Each structure stands twice: as C-alpha cells, then as structure tokens.
Amino acid sequence: MGILAGKRILVTGVLTSDSIAFHVARLAQEEGAEVVLTGFGRLSLVERIAKRLPTPAPVLELDVTDQGHLDSLADRVREHVDGLDGVVHAIGFAPIEALGGNFLNTEWKDVSTALQVSTYSLKALAMATMPLLHDGGSIVGLDFDATVAWSSYDWMGVAKAGLESCSRYLARHLGPKGIRVNLVAAGPLRTIAAKGIPGFEEFEATWDAKAPLGWKADDIEPAARATVGLLSDWFPATTGEIVHADGGFHAMGD
Ligand SMILES: NC(=O)c1ccc[n+]([C@@H]2O[C@H](COP(=O)([O-])OP(=O)(O)OC[C@H]3O[C@@H](n4cnc5c(N)ncnc54)[C@H](O)[C@@H]3O)[C@@H](O)[C@H]2O)c1
C-alpha cells in the first residue's frame, strides 16, 4: 500500500511534464492518492499533460489573482472529491522587470505581481481549500532557499522569503485545525519557470560545485518525493518547516 493510500490531493502548478507539480501528481497517484489538478492560462495544454499521468486527472481553472476562481474553487473540487487531505502549492511568477539584475529599478507594480502570485497565493489557496480540509491535512509549497541573496533572482527571492514567512504564519493559524503547512526548498530544476529567470543556468554550476550529494537539474524526482513525504502521515508533528531537497547545498559553507 502506498503512503498516500486513500488521500485526496489538490495539485496546483502543472504546466508541462517537466513541472515539479506534474511529478508530484504522478508520484502521489503511484502512492495511492486521488489527484485533482488546477491549471492557469493554457488550460488545453494542462489538460493534455494531465492525460499523461498514470490515471488521467481532472483539471480545474485557477488563476490565484482571480478572487472569483478562488471563491468557487471548493465547490468545483467537490464535483470530483468529497474533501481534501492535502494541497500542493507549486505556483510562482515574477515579471521580467523584477528579475535578472534589475532589482534597484523594479517598480512596485511588477513587485506586487510577483508577491501576489508567488507569496500571498499560499494564504489565498489555503483559505480557498480550508472548507475541504475538514479532518485536518497537509499543505505543501515549493520554495527556493531565500535566506541569502542570489544573482538574478532579485524580487523572486524577496517573494520566496515572504513565502517562507507566510508558511510559518499559516502553520500557526491552521495548526489548531490539524492542518500542517510546510515547504520543500528545491535546488535548481529546468522547468518553464526556471527558464524565465535570466542567468538561471549559473545556479546549476554553483550547485554542481557545492552540493555534497551532487545535483541533477533535470531530475525532478527528489523534490517530488520530499513533497509527497510531507503530504503523507509520516510527518505528523511537522509544521512550519522547510525541508531542503537540494543535494545538501544549503548546509555547506563553501
Ligand atoms: N525550477 C526550479 O528550479 C525551482 C526551484 C525551487 C522552487 N521552485 C518553485 O516550484 C514551483 C513550481 O515551479 P516549476 O519550477 O515547476 O515551474 P513551472 O513553470 O512548471 O510551474 C510554475 C507554475 O505557476 C503557475 N502560475 C503562474 N502564475 C499563476 C497564477 N496567476 N495562478 C495560478 N498559477 C500560476 C504556472 O501556470 C505554472 O504551472 C514555483 O513556486 C517555483 O518557484 C522551482
């Protein structure tokens, strides 16, 4: 029996078969979960990708900046499952003006987009799905270590620092309802979101040189496994935590 047997999991953030969310959804199904996906924008593409899962999964439209989508999400999820045991937040976006070394000149409208989509959305998604998490559950978000400043990551780094803090506050406010909130801080992975960050490939060389376990930027499995682990019952007393799936990079000094 898989570690997610009988669990109902909502997975956001599938865009391509390289998306971290796609591998989380695949692994969750392999571990016994029933999966519902949400997609943003290019829904027909997401629907096509959803058919490549071991069990084709339904896709619901969700733009986290659209309050109507958020307000109707619980009812739309209920058309497929009668509740949820887990929710995966794999959503990030920053306009190009907020990335790639333009930090000092980025305007608030671009910063606010990055923060709304990449940071505030964790709280928005938690609130939108709370009516379905009646028996507690696990919310897991995807993070990139925000304890230091990276070249080119700029306002996305600020957004991730906010995400880290947001997950701790959610852990505080949702703990009494039995809902755990944790993040997986992955090393650099070659996804569409990553390709949108100018100079992202430089992270790969940095990781190659420093991660004691080594790092493969085209292998999504370690980040997906950590996410599925946190969705399972095997971390019952863990919340407000950041689990690093980064080859050990974060723990090394040089
Ligand atoms: N790729 C990496 O190196 C890496 C490393 C650590 C963390 N992460 C994080 O993992 C998460 C998933 O990214 P990915 O790398 O799989 O790339 P991806 O491009 O496959 O996924 C990003 C997702 O965000 C969604 N999205 C963007 N704007 C949205 C909106 N307004 N509403 C709803 N969804 C929206 C996109 O549709 C897409 O599905 C992101 O939070 C990213 O920051 C990525």
Side-chain angles (χ1 to χ4, degrees):
M1 207 163 74
I3 62 171
L4 295 185
K7 299 222 180 280
R8 302 148 300 174
I9 310 285
L10 184 72
V11 179
T12 66
V14 172
L15 180 59
T16 70
S17 55
D18 289 331
S19 293
I20 298 172
F22 177 82
H23 292 270
V24 171
R26 171 184 58 75
L27 208 52
Q29 288 185 343
E30 286 169 11
E31 290 298 323
E34 189 171 353
V35 169
V36 177
L37 302 179
T38 73
F40 163 65
R42 300 153 73 184
L43 270 220
S44 57
L45 172 63
V46 181
E47 278 160 3
R48 221 166 47 237
I49 300 295
K51 293 200 177 93
R52 292 199 208 159
L53 288 168
T55 307
V59 179
L60 310 175
E61 186 174 17
L62 178 64
D63 174 351
V64 288
T65 68
D66 184 322
Q67 195 56 45
H69 286 184
L70 290 163
D71 290 344
S72 63
L73 184 65
D75 285 341
R76 292 185 289 134
V77 171
R78 265 193 214 98
E79 290 173 16
H80 302 280
V81 286
D82 54 2
L84 287 174
D85 304 288
V87 177
V88 177
H89 178 283
I91 294 170
F93 172 75
I96 191 71
E97 292 79 4
L99 299 162
N102 193 40
F103 188 83
L104 296 177
N105 296 311
T106 308
E107 292 178 10
W108 168 241
K109 69 172 172 40
D110 297 317
V111 172
S112 70
T113 299
L115 295 179
Q116 185 178 11
V117 176
S118 314
T119 307
Y120 183 78
S121 63
L122 182 64
K123 196 277 308 189
L125 183 66
M127 292 298 283
T129 53
M130 214 158 53
L132 299 163
L133 293 160
H134 348 94
D135 303 321
S138 171
I139 299 175
V140 184
L142 269 303
D143 183 29
F144 191 71
D145 183 8
T147 54
V148 293
W150 302 100
S151 58
S152 75
Y153 207 48
D154 289 349
W155 287 99
M156 196 65 200
V158 178
K160 288 301 191 192
L163 185 76
E164 293 178 355
S165 181
C166 182
S167 74
R168 287 189 286 268
Y169 277 93
L170 286 172
R172 169 180 287 267
H173 287 283
L174 300 182
K177 297 180 191 300
I179 300 172
R180 297 175 288 121
V181 185
N182 295 289
L183 298 179
V184 171
L189 295 164
R190 286 186 210 133
T191 63
I192 296 281
K195 285 174 190 154
I197 297 166
F200 190 83
E201 60 285 351
E202 283 161 32
F203 286 139
E204 290 186 26
T206 312
W207 246 259
D208 275 347
K210 199 169 123 182
L213 290 175
W215 185 251
K216 293 194 188 110
D218 57 358
D219 184 7
I220 316 279
E221 187 81 9
R225 282 190 175 228
T227 305
V228 165
L230 287 168
L231 289 169
S232 79
D233 292 334
W234 288 91
F235 286 89
T238 301
T239 195
E241 186 62 275
I242 301 172
V243 173
H244 292 79
D246 66 349
F249 181 96
H250 72 285
M252 299 300 114
D254 55 21

